[in-house]
Amino acid sequence: MDSAEYHSALSALTWQIELGVDTCIADEPINRYEVPAKVEKPAAPVAAAAVVAAPVGEVDVVAAASVAAAGAQDLEGLRAALEAFPHCELKLGARNLVFSDGAPGARVMIVGEAPGRDEDREGRPFVGRAGQLLDKMLAAIDLSRDSSVYITNVLPWRPPQNRDPKPEEIAMMQPFLERHIALAKPDVLVVVGNHACQALLGKRGITRLRGEWTQASGKPALPMFHPAYLLRNPAAKRDAWADLLSLKAKLRDG
């Protein structure tokens, strides 16, 4: 290599170093400023779905509730099964499980809809204004939750802001309710309000259903207005009194 080639190569090497080149990785130099004859399109990005694992199948919550309820051998066992049931989101916003009140084994079992604020606070069904009216109604036909009536609800946890129960929540809790009735062994059921009728009778329309004896869970069942409805509509108390007399006659006549 003559002196001119040496100095020319040295100048080129110095220029590359100044540009930041610090490693030689190719046998031949590459001109990064040369425009290629054809520009290759970048490969399409891999879709996110191609690298994400398939979602795990959802749990059949009604089937899970059926298994949990069937395993309960008594009322305390059923209460424990409800407390341990992980699939009902209502329990996340509720203070207490509202399981039951009254006399287990009583001839009359009242099934309401869902706990309200007072029930959620105390952990017992029908303890607010509607509950006080219910107690007066029962006393009028010589019944009492202390000795002759057992009470529960379709939903054991309060829905947020006292909203109506959702159909999927009713369906989820229905196996527990059916097992509750089987373990309590009442002679008759009093089905209070539209949502209780939906759960036990598969029907809605309490103004049409009330006062007519039917069957639910293998028991004679009497649909009635909810006491909360009677507080809002005092004129309906006349119909409620007729239903109470029908209940009294049913218990008398067996």
Side-chain angles (χ1 to χ4, degrees):
M1 178 183 296
D2 60 25
S3 177
E5 290 179 352
Y6 169 79
H7 288 289
S8 177
L10 181 60
S11 297
L13 180 60
T14 302
W15 177 71
Q16 292 183 48
I17 293 173
E18 290 175 351
L19 288 178
V21 175
D22 58 4
T23 305
C24 295
I25 59 173
D27 296 332
E28 298 291 334
I30 299 174
N31 185 354
R32 300 294 181 183
Y33 295 99
E34 182 180 1
V35 178
K38 181 180 179 182
V39 178
E40 297 290 337
K41 281 180 147 186
V46 177
V51 296
V52 177
V56 178
E58 295 183 359
V59 174
D60 185 337
V61 293
V62 176
S66 297
V67 171
Q73 301 304 308
D74 52 30
L75 293 174
E76 283 303 313
L78 185 65
R79 181 188 185 105
L82 269 170
E83 288 176 334
F85 189 69
H87 303 298
C88 186
E89 293 185 355
L90 291 176
K91 68 190 296 184
L92 301 178
R95 291 184 180 181
N96 288 298
L97 170 73
V98 180
F99 183 67
S100 68
D101 195 23
R107 294 186 66 195
V108 178
M109 183 173 182
I110 297 176
V111 180
E113 298 180 336
R117 180 185 60 188
D118 295 322
E119 290 76 16
D120 181 44
R121 183 177 61 247
E122 294 193 26
R124 295 188 298 125
F126 286 96
V127 295
R129 290 182 62 221
Q132 294 168 15
L133 177 56
L134 177 63
D135 288 341
K136 293 177 181 178
M137 293 166 63
L138 294 173
I141 57 170
D142 302 317
L143 295 177
S144 167
R145 73 171 77 197
D146 293 332
S147 59
S148 52
V149 174
Y150 185 64
I151 306 174
T152 191
N153 281 316
V154 173
L155 298 188
W157 293 286
R158 180 193 181 193
Q161 287 77 51
N162 287 358
R163 63 159 171 77
D164 287 344
K166 296 179 180 179
E168 58 268 28
E169 293 167 345
I170 293 176
M172 188 191 312
M173 292 294 104
Q174 190 162 349
F176 289 106
L177 177 59
E178 296 284 354
R179 186 61 176 158
H180 204 155
I181 294 169
L183 292 171
K185 299 178 181 178
D187 290 340
V188 299
L189 294 170
V190 177
V191 187
V192 178
N194 261 324
H195 299 293
C197 287
Q198 180 65 51
L200 290 176
L201 307 179
K203 301 176 182 178
R204 293 175 63 89
I206 189 62
T207 55
R208 173 175 48 84
L209 296 171
R210 58 137 294 271
E212 296 293 331
W213 283 94
T214 183
Q215 289 281 316
S217 300
K219 307 285 183 180
L222 178 65
M224 286 185 61
F225 287 128
H226 197 288
Y229 175 83
L230 298 176
L231 290 173
R232 299 191 301 270
N233 300 275
K237 289 181 179 180
R238 180 175 180 177
D239 291 330
W241 175 240
D243 297 344
L244 288 170
L245 292 178
S246 179
L247 173 61
K248 184 175 182 179
K250 185 75 169 180
L251 294 172
R252 181 191 63 226
D253 299 338

